[in-house]
């Protein structure tokens, strides 16, 4: 093989490994668009995960995508969750800081900015699924500049500590 082929193969392998590493543990990652005219206070965005295939702890994050039309520095969200089939409910208010004191977006992007805010860790059993409803609780009735709202759920793989029993 010549050097060029080896370099090409090396780059392909690195990109493939990076793609796999970035999504390790993600079991749900979904975004829903808001109305182009603005996100109305009574417009609840709903999600439902698939049934979990493994019991364990799942880290949950809320994603928000905005553009330059968003008029505020922050965003307050109400997140209501129900774990099914048990029916256990969780209600959270999430305060999201989007713009710094200088008026610069804190998120990733150039004209559109993406944010990911940690919400909670849920203990889910195999077969459980989660229904999630998100709405804003800002004073303004319609929020321009909010493009998408999403949810990301990742399985937390805990490192198991080796015990004396394992060594026998």
């Amino acid at each position: 093989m010549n050097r060029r082929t080896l370099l090409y193969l090396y780059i392909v392998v690195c990109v493939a490994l990076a793609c796999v590493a970035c999504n390790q543990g993600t079991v749900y990652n979904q975004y829903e668009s808001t109305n182009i005219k603005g996100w109305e206070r009574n417009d609840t965005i709903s999600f439902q995960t698939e049934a979990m295939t493994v019991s364990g702890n799942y880290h949950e994050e809320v994603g928000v995508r905005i553009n330059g039309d968003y008029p505020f520095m922050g965003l307050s969200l109400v997140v209501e969750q129900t774990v099914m089939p048990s029916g256990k409910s969780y209600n959270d208010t999430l305060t999201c800081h989007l713009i710094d004191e200088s008026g610069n977006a804190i998120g990733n992007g150039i004209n559109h900015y993406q944010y990911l805010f940690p919400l909670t860790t849920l203990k889910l059993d195999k077969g459980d699924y989660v229904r999630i409803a998100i709405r804003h609780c800002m004073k303004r009735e319609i929020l321009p500049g909010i493009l998408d709202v999403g949810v990301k759920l990742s399985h937390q793989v805990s490192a198991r500590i080796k015990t004396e029993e394992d060594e026998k």
Side-chain angles (χ1 to χ4, degrees), residues 25 34 49 81 119 122 131 151 153-154 163 165:
T34 61
T49 69
Q81 303 179 82
L119 181 64
L122 296 173
R131 290 182 179 158
V151 173
L153 194 65
S154 302
T163 64
E165 292 290 319

Side-chain angles (χ1 to χ4, degrees), residues 2 20 39 44 56-57 61 71 73 84 99 123 133 138 143 152-153 156 161-162 166:
N2 62 26
V20 172
W39 188 15
T44 300
N57 292 326
E61 297 171 292
M73 294 174 70
M84 300 302 289
I99 311 292
K123 183 168 176 34
M138 302 289 285
L143 292 180
K152 180 178 179 182
L153 194 65
Q156 290 183 326
I161 298 172
K162 199 174 193 181
D166 293 334

Side-chain angles (χ1 to χ4, degrees), residues 41-150:
R41 187 180 309 166
N42 61 355
D43 280 347
T44 300
I45 299 175
S46 300
F47 303 91
Q48 182 171 305
T49 69
E50 297 291 323
M52 299 301 119
T53 57
V54 177
S55 296
N57 292 326
Y58 290 83
H59 180 67
E60 191 171 16
E61 297 171 292
V62 172
V64 177
R65 295 177 183 146
I66 67 168
N67 64 21
D69 294 337
Y70 188 70
F72 302 111
M73 294 174 70
L75 172 66
S76 294
L77 301 173
V78 173
V79 183
E80 299 169 344
Q81 303 179 82
T82 305
V83 176
M84 300 302 289
S86 69
K88 191 170 188 178
S89 294
Y90 301 93
N91 292 320
D92 295 293
T93 301
L94 185 61
T95 302
C96 308
H97 299 286
L98 306 173
I99 311 292
D100 67 16
E101 290 80 23
S102 302
N104 300 315
I106 301 169
N108 297 321
I110 297 174
N111 291 338
H112 294 79
Y113 302 95
Q114 181 163 331
Y115 303 84
L116 205 55
F117 300 101
L119 181 64
T120 190
T121 298
L122 296 173
K123 183 168 176 34
L124 301 174
D125 294 323
K126 182 178 179 179
D128 285 354
Y129 62 96
V130 185
R131 290 182 179 158
I132 304 157
I134 302 175
R135 61 184 163 79
H136 78 79
C137 58
M138 302 289 285
K139 289 182 181 181
R140 194 172 199 178
E141 199 61 39
I142 298 176
L143 292 180
I146 303 285
L147 306 174
D148 304 300
V149 177

